Amino acid sequence: MSSIRERNRDLILRAASEEFAEKGFAATKTSDIAAKAGLPKPNVYYYFKSKENLYREVLESIVEPLLQASAPFNQAGHPFEVLTAYIRSKIRISRDLPHASKVFASEIMHGAPHLSREQTEHLNLQAKHNIECIQGWIDQGLMARVDPHHLLFSIWAATQTYADFDWQISTVTGKSSLSDADYDAAAETIIRLVIKGCEVEEKVSAQSA
């Protein structure tokens, strides 16, 4: 029974991500979510109680990966390794959770009315910590004296555009969807721009050597 519950919750959550991303919270109907999930409408209320709860679950499904992407900043490391791992994680989020990423972007653009205080605090504290790490590397002479806030904002913009502005990406590339190789190329390009632009010395870890 637990596997059926998990499967149904996943189906509804995935369908909700797509519907909220396409139509926004107000215009999305629970009946459309149920239809896309291939389940009866009462199932949506059985598992999530309300449309607002379901929307909050969609936000949670992207907030947690965003926090996890910053894991490289949470332990001592060289800026080359930390920034490289961070950028790759952020690109993977755009590849694997494009609809939830769009929902999150829309939420932020509207002043984050549905983000919980706890989620907001976690995101802001993690961002502040990442900025402090970057400033620490600058102070140690490990990278150029760039503004750490704007460096982080630039990485967010460069990585999240592959999900949030996928129509534009598809139009320009002429591809209906990007391949894993395309996402790898995107990550490597952004990494190169950040590492070279910030004058970070490339370092090979002992594990990868």
Side-chain angles (χ1 to χ4, degrees):
M1 286 295 294
S2 61
S3 62
I4 295 175
R5 286 176 61 90
E6 290 174 7
R7 173 184 172 276
N8 287 347
R9 278 181 59 87
D10 287 345
L11 285 172
I12 294 169
L13 196 60
R14 191 178 306 117
S17 296
E18 295 179 19
E19 289 293 308
F20 287 136
E22 180 181 348
K23 302 172 183 174
F25 175 75
T28 295
K29 298 178 180 179
T30 52
S31 57
D32 292 336
I33 294 172
K36 187 177 286 288
L39 295 169
K41 181 179 175 180
N43 279 30
V44 175
Y45 293 102
Y46 174 76
Y47 290 109
F48 296 97
K49 308 303 181 186
S50 69
K51 185 175 80 166
E52 183 163 308
N53 282 345
L54 178 52
Y55 182 81
R56 292 183 189 278
E57 289 275 357
V58 171
L59 288 176
E60 181 64 27
S61 76
I62 188 70
V63 166
E64 194 57 36
L66 287 173
L67 291 170
Q68 291 173 359
S70 289
F73 284 98
N74 297 336
Q75 54 190 352
H78 189 276
F80 172 75
E81 295 171 333
V82 173
L83 291 171
T84 295
Y86 181 61
I87 290 167
R88 285 181 177 150
S89 293
K90 294 284 276 104
I91 283 290
R92 280 196 296 271
I93 291 173
S94 287
R95 181 194 67 189
D96 298 340
L97 299 168
H99 302 294
S101 180
K102 283 184 179 180
V103 174
F104 180 78
S106 178
E107 176 73 9
I108 297 302
M109 286 189 288
H110 288 86
H114 296 91
L115 276 182
S116 69
R117 179 179 298 180
E118 183 180 22
Q119 288 172 326
T120 301
E121 288 178 353
H122 284 172
L123 288 167
N124 287 341
L125 284 173
Q126 185 65 64
K128 182 179 179 181
H129 172 74
N130 295 357
I131 289 166
E132 289 172 350
C133 285
I134 295 169
Q135 186 61 58
W137 295 328
I138 293 171
D139 294 341
Q140 295 173 59
L142 296 175
M143 58 187 294
R145 303 197 70 81
V146 299
D147 185 304
H149 291 82
H150 294 296
L151 173 59
L152 198 62
F153 300 157
S154 295
I155 293 173
W156 291 351
T159 55
Q160 291 166 210
T161 192
Y162 288 92
D164 303 342
F165 294 93
D166 62 338
W167 177 88
Q168 189 175 43
I169 300 292
S170 295
T171 300
V172 173
T173 61
K175 299 179 178 181
S176 58
S177 62
L178 299 184
S179 65
D180 287 346
D182 290 320
Y183 285 107
D184 289 341
E188 293 304 319
T189 299
I190 298 167
I191 289 167
R192 182 177 179 83
L193 291 172
V194 169
I195 297 303
K196 297 295 185 181
C198 294
E199 299 173 13
V200 175
E201 181 181 349
E202 296 190 21
K203 179 182 178 182
V204 179
S205 66
Q207 290 182 339
S208 60

